[in-house]
Amino acid sequence: MSTLTHHPPEDLLVCYAAGSLGEAQALAVATHLAYCPACRRENERLDEIGGLLLWDLPPEPLPEDALASLLARLDGEGAEEPAARPASAAGARDCGVLGDMRVPEPLRTYLRERAGGAGWTVLAEGVQSLRLDVGRPPEVAEILRMAPGSALPAHRHSDQELILVLQGSFSEAAGPFGDAGGRYAGGDLGEFEGGSIHTVVAGEDGCVCYRVLAGPVERLVEPP
């Protein structure tokens, strides 16, 4: 039985099933599905609904160059990388930059093949970030590695933020900029909307997570 407490909202799952999420967001949802049987079942249900809706649509006439375009794609010309799809279970090892930490597919392959060449950078005391070559600017996809009790500075989002916990836990801290938002542990996926303000604090065992920022964040300075 799943012990996860934070899941993608319905609209995010619908966009994922429809294939309309960007690569970085789709990777977050797909990896959450590897942890969460309930969300996998919901995704399968949405896939079935989408298939039925497509079945009822009238056929569209093919353009004259349809065959040539198909052959070109089969030859690798202009082919786009498909959106990430979920594995059936979490727990596989060998994820490159995170050593032997247990990380499920599809994120494990991205960690081996898409880790940024700049290496780890310091965001705050005890907090490091590793960029992944996923998504398009101004999107940022990164791995956050947080020491026990460390915190991201309070910040305001200009757009959506997704945080998927891979190991350990974090909490949204109460403070002068917002209210406490609960605890997030392994496999939990948090979505925070544009305009939201929060402070993320790692638990007693630290935290490793995959984070997607759809737009820039504004760092806030706490009043004295």
Side-chain angles (χ1 to χ4, degrees):
M1 182 176 180
S2 174
T3 58
L4 303 182
T5 56
H6 298 276
H7 307 270
E10 184 73 14
D11 61 337
L12 199 64
L13 279 177
V14 169
C15 290
Y16 175 79
S20 60
L21 287 182
E23 185 182 11
Q25 287 87 358
L27 180 58
V29 175
T31 307
H32 170 80
L33 296 186
Y35 288 101
C36 184
C39 286
R40 285 202 301 274
R41 290 193 296 269
E42 178 64 10
N43 181 65
E44 291 168 0
R45 186 184 73 85
L46 292 170
D47 278 341
E48 292 175 0
I49 293 173
L52 292 173
L53 292 174
L54 288 174
W55 184 264
D56 290 337
L57 291 175
E60 290 286 338
L62 292 174
E64 294 181 1
D65 63 346
L67 179 58
S69 297
L70 176 60
L71 293 175
R73 291 186 63 184
L74 291 175
D75 288 337
E77 297 178 14
E80 294 184 356
E81 185 169 347
R85 303 302 293 179
S88 59
R93 292 184 180 271
D94 183 21
C95 54
V97 294
L98 294 179
D100 64 353
M101 199 184 90
R102 293 182 179 272
V103 177
E105 291 285 20
L107 181 58
R108 187 172 74 254
T109 294
Y110 278 78
L111 289 174
R112 288 200 305 264
E113 300 177 358
R114 302 288 195 92
W120 294 92
T121 60
V122 176
L123 298 184
E125 184 176 355
V127 182
Q128 295 179 307
S129 165
L130 179 70
R131 293 286 184 94
L132 299 183
D133 183 19
V134 186
R136 300 176 179 178
E139 272 184 344
V140 170
E142 62 186 353
I143 299 297
L144 291 182
R145 189 165 61 185
M146 304 178 68
S150 64
L152 283 171
H155 55 278
R156 177 186 290 112
H157 293 283
S158 64
D159 207 331
Q160 179 199 62
E161 176 188 38
L162 297 177
I163 306 181
L164 173 69
V165 179
L166 305 174
Q167 186 179 78
S169 65
F170 75 82
S171 298
E172 281 192 284
F177 297 112
D179 298 324
R183 179 177 179 273
Y184 295 74
D188 281 335
L189 177 64
E191 183 198 38
F192 308 99
E193 298 178 349
S196 62
I197 298 172
H198 65 170
T199 307
V200 174
V201 180
E204 61 182 12
D205 296 325
C207 185
V208 178
C209 53
Y210 170 64
R211 179 167 80 154
V212 181
L213 299 172
V217 298
E218 176 190 359
R219 181 168 175 166
L220 302 175
V221 179
E222 295 190 17

